[in-house]
Amino acid sequence: MTGTILITGTTSGFGAATARLFAQNGWLVIGTGRRAERLEELKAELGESFYGLVFDITDEDATKSALESLPEAFKEIDVLVNNAGLALGTASAPETKLSDWKTMVDTNVTGLLTITDLLLPMLIARKGMIVNLSSIAATWPYPGGNVYAGTKAFLRQFSLGLRSDLHGKGVRVTSIEPGLCESEFTMVRTGGNKEAYDALYGGAHAIQPEDIANTIFWVATQPKHININSLEVMPVSQSWGGWQIARDPS
């Protein structure tokens, strides 16, 4: 099975690894992102099977214009991978900035909704597929997760809602929910703090971008009568801790 796949947030991490894997397996790949030089590097690496679209997914007009600009060979999209997203900061809610919260909602939720809405008629017509990159944070809260976890919970529920709304139309929808992953994503979250990055990943054998790319490829290449509703993925080193209990010193 091959076709045309559009992957948002293709300039690093999961997106770049997924673009490589699908291109290597004969798919046409559309990669989106804000950093033109990164998309140009992927184009140089992957050749004619890759087409880069430079735009900010939080800009509705730019998203629409970019999709309309696709060349004929890339216009008919079979799979949408909503990968673009970010986490800003690790502080608890009282110490966070409202602007960071709004940026996460604009990117992780509003931008994703925009591109999904624009492509939905085509995906229905082609009996295509939507893969949404959620997180274990959608189910398992943790200190400092606040709005990031909320956006991922929205995304998980949105995926299930789409499945209901698209009943009988042949469109597959999957929520992929990774745990501890090592990528550029965490450097953004920690504000480039290498010490914090090393403390988190040291000896953890975390999930790598290629692992998530393999997962997306497996989901997308299942027989068309099979839908993977949601898939939670953790490294072996990660599991659940106990509940937090605040005790009254009196």
Side-chain angles (χ1 to χ4, degrees):
M1 174 185 170
T2 58
T4 301
I5 183 169
L6 187 149
I7 308 163
T8 66
T10 321
T11 55
S12 65
F14 299 168
T18 303
R20 291 187 180 99
L21 183 58
F22 276 82
Q24 288 160 6
N25 282 274
W27 288 66
L28 292 178
V29 178
I30 304 160
T32 83
R34 292 176 299 172
R35 292 174 287 185
E37 71 283 356
R38 294 280 188 97
L39 294 177
E40 287 166 7
E41 288 168 8
L42 272 175
K43 173 69 175 177
E45 177 185 343
L46 302 178
E48 295 306 309
S49 62
F50 181 82
Y51 190 86
L53 286 177
V54 183
F55 65 94
D56 184 340
I57 201 164
T58 66
D59 184 330
E60 182 176 342
D61 290 338
T63 302
K64 186 175 182 181
S65 296
L67 294 176
E68 289 172 349
S69 75
L70 283 168
E72 203 61 40
F74 288 85
K75 276 191 180 297
E76 297 191 332
I77 296 163
D78 301 288
V79 179
L80 167 63
V81 177
N82 280 315
N83 166 71
L86 78 167
L88 294 175
T90 57
S92 64
E95 283 77 48
T96 57
K97 294 188 292 186
L98 179 59
S99 60
D100 285 347
W101 280 3
K102 288 183 175 182
T103 298
M104 284 187 276
V105 171
D106 289 345
T107 305
N108 300 359
V109 176
T110 308
L112 178 145
L113 293 178
T114 298
I115 197 164
T116 302
D117 177 69
L118 290 169
L119 292 179
L120 206 48
M122 180 185 300
L123 293 168
I124 292 171
R126 297 183 66 76
K127 296 188 184 327
M129 183 176 198
I130 299 167
V131 179
N132 292 323
L133 264 294
S134 180
S135 166
I136 63 166
T139 306
W140 309 103
Y142 59 91
N146 45 71
V147 167
Y148 171 72
T151 65
K152 293 304 181 178
F154 170 87
L155 186 47
R156 184 181 195 279
Q157 196 63 27
F158 177 59
S159 301
L160 297 175
L162 275 179
R163 280 275 289 130
S164 293
D165 288 346
L166 297 173
H167 178 76
K169 297 187 183 301
V171 179
R172 296 181 289 165
V173 185
T174 299
S175 170
I176 295 180
E177 299 155 16
L180 183 67
C181 296
E182 185 172 11
S183 74
E184 196 175 307
F185 174 91
T186 304
M187 286 297 283
V188 173
R189 181 169 199 180
T190 60
N193 186 332
K194 184 71 163 57
E195 207 170 278
Y197 182 94
D198 291 341
L200 179 62
Y201 291 116
H205 303 291
I207 293 169
Q208 300 299 307
E210 291 74 19
D211 300 323
I212 298 304
N214 287 334
T215 304
I216 295 170
F217 187 79
W218 177 77
V219 165
T221 54
Q222 290 303 295
K224 282 186 174 287
H225 68 283
I226 297 293
N227 191 87
I228 310 299
N229 296 328
S230 61
L231 188 56
E232 189 176 277
V233 185
M234 287 184 180
V236 174
S237 64
Q238 185 179 32
S239 61
W240 303 272
W243 293 102
Q244 298 184 96
I245 301 173
R247 302 187 185 278
D248 187 343
S250 63

